[in-house]
Amino acid sequence: MDHATDRSALVAYASRAIGKGSKSFSLASKLFDQQTRERAWLLYAWCRKCDDLADGQDLGHGMTNIDDAAARLDYIRTQTDKAYAGQLCDERAFDCLALVVSECNIPRRFADDVIEGFALDAAEWRPRSEDDLYQYCYHVAGAVGCMMAIVMGVAPDDETTLDRACDLGLAFQLANIARDISEDDSVGRCYLPIEWLAQMDIPPGQHMKPHYRDQLARLAKRLADRSEAYEASARTGAVLLPFRARWAVLAAAGIYGDIARKVRDRGANAWDHRTFTRKRSKLGWVVRSGLQSINPPEDIGRDGLWTRPRKIGAE
């Protein structure tokens, strides 16, 4: 397949992937100019496929236990190698990566950082400390934020803006973790730091027991508070983006940030059913973020909240 002549087919595939995989990100992506929107879809398609392979999902739905995690991880790495080499891949999602990498010159180190997050899951890794939690969030979401920023036109060596993009990824992932505590537990995963559980006197593996719900709600509030802080940090960096990219980023931040806020507000009932943001609220954020984009803050400061790793993965 010639990537140049088959671009429209890959874009169409990526559009379907984001439309089915994330209604929130799909809506926010419509605020980009056409070129950036299509490139964002292409990158999303790769992220979605890797996540589905690692978690035994279909377009982000129906997480299951898998018994060939190492083989799946090797497949992700092999196909990503092909994509960066400009070779034909076995699946369109990796061809999508090849296309967006060729158009935006996304450094390989960020893709390797993302894959390292899947490696942590394959190894059944668990965070011991809060810093461990942030390190994991960087790999599975912060590095994606950096890749997406480059898709929006940020230079790969613009550390200030990439730090803010990383902060937004961390905000999204912390919201995910808070929302998905029960779902993760059903497949034997827990991203709550061991030290946090110990502080609440919750024995390992027991956090979903009904009599620990109040303590769990306090930990979910902690996650939501951290998510909100990273969201605020990322928002101040949006001033460095072109208007339509800034609009899309602020809309996504608000829409996804509401997930963490709803988990916090629901307290011990947060996992009785899945938390989501309704369409009316999403459209409200589209309008609100458009107004915010017109009058962004003037000074973002130097660095994001968290020190992003500078030398992880292959250059």
Side-chain angles (χ1 to χ4, degrees), residues 163-179:
D163 279 345
R164 298 298 183 161
C166 176
D167 280 348
L168 188 57
L170 265 64
F172 289 164
Q173 188 59 28
L174 289 167
N176 277 340
I177 290 172
R179 179 193 62 194

Side-chain angles (χ1 to χ4, degrees), residues 122-192:
E124 299 184 351
W125 172 91
R126 300 290 181 269
R128 174 168 293 279
S129 66
E130 186 169 335
D131 282 344
D132 290 341
L133 171 63
Y134 296 149
Q135 185 75 21
Y136 175 77
C137 290
Y138 166 73
H139 283 295
V140 298
V144 174
C146 293
M147 296 174 80
M148 192 62 72
I150 293 169
V151 165
M152 296 178 206
V154 175
D157 61 353
D158 183 350
E159 300 293 352
T160 297
T161 309
L162 293 181
D163 279 345
R164 298 298 183 161
C166 176
D167 280 348
L168 188 57
L170 265 64
F172 289 164
Q173 188 59 28
L174 289 167
N176 277 340
I177 290 172
R179 179 193 62 194
D180 296 340
I181 290 174
S182 178
E183 182 179 357
D184 289 332
D185 181 68
S186 70
V187 293
R189 293 183 182 178
C190 179
Y191 299 107
L192 297 168

Side-chain angles (χ1 to χ4, degrees), residues 226-276:
R226 304 293 195 274
S227 175
E228 198 166 47
Y230 281 110
E231 178 191 340
S233 176
R235 282 176 170 278
T236 61
V239 66
L240 298 174
L241 300 173
F243 171 75
R244 292 194 64 171
R246 181 164 65 244
W247 188 7
V249 165
L250 292 178
I255 291 168
Y256 225 80
D258 275 354
I259 292 175
R261 287 182 277 274
K262 286 186 176 184
V263 169
R264 180 175 57 201
D265 293 345
R266 292 175 63 193
N269 299 316
W271 306 279
D272 291 347
H273 54 81
R274 187 174 177 84
T275 298
F276 62 94

Side-chain angles (χ1 to χ4, degrees), residues 11-34:
V11 168
Y13 166 82
S15 176
R16 290 191 296 271
I18 196 170
K20 294 180 179 179
S22 176
K23 290 182 173 58
S24 295
F25 289 146
S26 179
L27 175 61
S29 73
K30 290 178 171 62
L31 303 177
F32 287 127
D33 63 86
Q34 181 177 345

Side-chain angles (χ1 to χ4, degrees), residues 4-298:
T5 59
D6 203 53
R7 189 182 192 281
S8 60
L10 289 178
V11 168
Y13 166 82
S15 176
R16 290 191 296 271
I18 196 170
K20 294 180 179 179
S22 176
K23 290 182 173 58
S24 295
F25 289 146
S26 179
L27 175 61
S29 73
K30 290 178 171 62
L31 303 177
F32 287 127
D33 63 86
Q34 181 177 345
Q35 183 181 71
T36 304
R37 178 169 60 249
E38 291 177 352
R39 289 172 172 175
W41 290 347
L42 292 167
L43 180 58
Y44 176 90
W46 173 74
C47 295
R48 179 74 276 149
K49 174 57 70 173
C50 291
D51 206 27
D52 285 351
L53 287 167
D55 290 343
Q57 302 177 127
D58 180 23
L59 290 171
H61 306 291
M63 184 186 297
T64 59
N65 284 303
I66 58 175
D67 56 12
D68 59 345
R72 289 169 180 249
L73 180 62
D74 183 63
Y75 178 78
I76 290 171
R77 285 177 169 150
T78 299
Q79 294 301 309
T80 300
D81 286 343
K82 286 185 176 182
Y84 266 87
Q87 300 173 2
L88 179 65
C89 300
D90 294 347
E91 298 194 50
R92 284 177 293 178
F94 292 93
D95 288 324
C96 288
L97 175 66
L99 179 56
V100 72
V101 164
S102 71
E103 292 185 357
C104 301
N105 195 29
I106 302 172
R108 175 62 189 265
R109 60 190 172 90
F110 289 124
D112 286 340
D113 285 353
V114 175
I115 294 173
E116 181 59 27
F118 300 127
L120 291 172
D121 281 332
E124 299 184 351
W125 172 91
R126 300 290 181 269
R128 174 168 293 279
S129 66
E130 186 169 335
D131 282 344
D132 290 341
L133 171 63
Y134 296 149
Q135 185 75 21
Y136 175 77
C137 290
Y138 166 73
H139 283 295
V140 298
V144 174
C146 293
M147 296 174 80
M148 192 62 72
I150 293 169
V151 165
M152 296 178 206
V154 175
D157 61 353
D158 183 350
E159 300 293 352
T160 297
T161 309
L162 293 181
D163 279 345
R164 298 298 183 161
C166 176
D167 280 348
L168 188 57
L170 265 64
F172 289 164
Q173 188 59 28
L174 289 167
N176 277 340
I177 290 172
R179 179 193 62 194
D180 296 340
I181 290 174
S182 178
E183 182 179 357
D184 289 332
D185 181 68
S186 70
V187 293
R189 293 183 182 178
C190 179
Y191 299 107
L192 297 168
I194 294 172
E195 292 177 357
W196 285 14
L197 293 170
Q199 290 170 6
M200 297 294 162
D201 293 322
I202 302 176
Q206 302 297 304
H207 55 280
M208 286 307 302
K209 299 294 184 183
H211 50 282
Y212 291 121
R213 274 297 181 97
D214 288 340
Q215 294 100 308
L216 186 63
R218 290 166 63 187
L219 293 182
K221 179 182 182 302
R222 188 180 298 179
L223 287 169
D225 289 346
R226 304 293 195 274
S227 175
E228 198 166 47
Y230 281 110
E231 178 191 340
S233 176
R235 282 176 170 278
T236 61
V239 66
L240 298 174
L241 300 173
F243 171 75
R244 292 194 64 171
R246 181 164 65 244
W247 188 7
V249 165
L250 292 178
I255 291 168
Y256 225 80
D258 275 354
I259 292 175
R261 287 182 277 274
K262 286 186 176 184
V263 169
R264 180 175 57 201
D265 293 345
R266 292 175 63 193
N269 299 316
W271 306 279
D272 291 347
H273 54 81
R274 187 174 177 84
T275 298
F276 62 94
T277 305
R278 296 187 180 278
K279 185 174 182 178
R280 183 174 181 177
S281 297
K282 293 176 183 178
L283 293 175
W285 274 112
V286 169
V287 174
R288 199 180 321 172
S289 60
L291 296 175
Q292 292 169 346
S293 297
I294 296 172
N295 296 299
E298 295 181 358

